[in-house]
Amino acid sequence: MVGNRPIKFRILELCNGGKWNYEIVEQIQKEYGLKGNFQRDSINFDIIELASGGMLKDVEVKVDEEGIYKKGFLLHKYELTDFGKIRAADACLMYV
Amino acid sequence: MDLKALKKQEHQKRVKYGYMWALFCAVLWGLWYIPGTTVWVLNPFDEMYGEIAAGSGDGVALIIVAVLITAFNALTVIVALAVWNGVLGKFGEMKRTVKEFHPCSKWFFMASIFGGPMAILGSFIAMGFVGGAFAAVAALMYPVVGSVLAQKWYGEKISKRAYLGIAFIILGGITIFGGGLITELGSGNVAWIGYLGGLMAAAGWGIEGAIAGKGLDIAEPDVGLTLRFLGENIIWWIIIVPILAIVGFPMFKYAFMAFEPLTLMVLVFAGITFGFCYVSWYKSFPLIGVGRGQGIGNLYGLFAVIFIFLFFGDVPAWTILLGGALCLAGSSIMFSEDTGEMESLRGD
């Protein structure tokens, strides 16, 4: 059952334990078969939208020194907020 | 650069993009009133108006014609959006989203009820009965509805400064709205149904924004918006237009006549401006919040007045200029807000 629900649902699911944005993007690209930089940025924008919507919060930030994602830019580690858990539960995702 | 500075820079960039999208929305939305006003005098709509008015009176004729125009508007918008989603490669995501009816697409279909038969129909009625400039500024009140609903319903934060900006915008709207009304009251001939259309637009768009925000939380804006217009097309073309045809209005006769070059071009212009104004509108919400997105989008009132002046040469009354200035002031107040301390737009 991979890659058949809306991308943002899956992002919420992945962030339950806390995850770095480049890890999320990589996994989503793989699961949904989305290739290329445009899709990569598009997925990252989904994460940003979820964060500014208050469903994710960044718990850790570091500068991308080695260019894992984009060199010189920030990498964010996200975790689900309480509000995010409620919204995820509305979307029938499994959380305690 | 240290981490803190980078973080601040990134946040500011995000907010800047949100405001940029909202401003795009305002320009496109303002442009929409050009085809929206023009289409009324084009055939088959002009002819249709004449035929229905002869049998059922002016008021009924206007509403029925407005329904057909709004239905065509929805149709050209969805064509524009289909192209947009095709280019972005989002049809797969659309399929995934539409299947999630309960948590997600339900909200977009609900938003289409308030956005379509309430807000857009109301706007066309106001354009037909009172005029484009009026229709544009009458709807300026919608951020009040939107902001209050968003705050009460899902606890979106609205800062004191944003309240002040919204207050200015509303004051501007009232000045423009009241100015036209007082002039008409003086002449003893008030097109009440047109003013009702203006109110429908304001309330409809405010409610739509707040409802759509609920589904947008967890969906792609481009996809959500297309579903919202899919809903509107269903409402018009599968429910309302056939019902009106069964009741005896010549809906399909004139619908088929709309496929002539000039009319079609104007309708497509309406579809493109309106479709992309919605794209930008929805994109701004997750970045700066429904209240602020709507507040900046509100500059469309001013743009509409300017465009109508440029295209039709209608010189606006002083009340419109004063009101427009107030709207601009209000939006600037919201614009200059320091969002640094606002990490998230919502409370936990």
Side-chain angles (χ1 to χ4, degrees), chain B residues 306-318:
Chain B
I306 293 170
F307 293 141
I308 286 168
F309 171 67
L310 290 176
F311 278 77
F312 305 123
D314 292 344
V315 181
W318 70 269

Side-chain angles (χ1 to χ4, degrees), chain B residues 130 134 176-192 195:
Chain B
V130 191
F134 167 75
I176 308 173
F177 191 93
L181 198 59
I182 287 163
T183 316
E184 287 206 11
L185 276 174
S187 69
N189 181 22
V190 181
W192 287 112
Y195 289 94

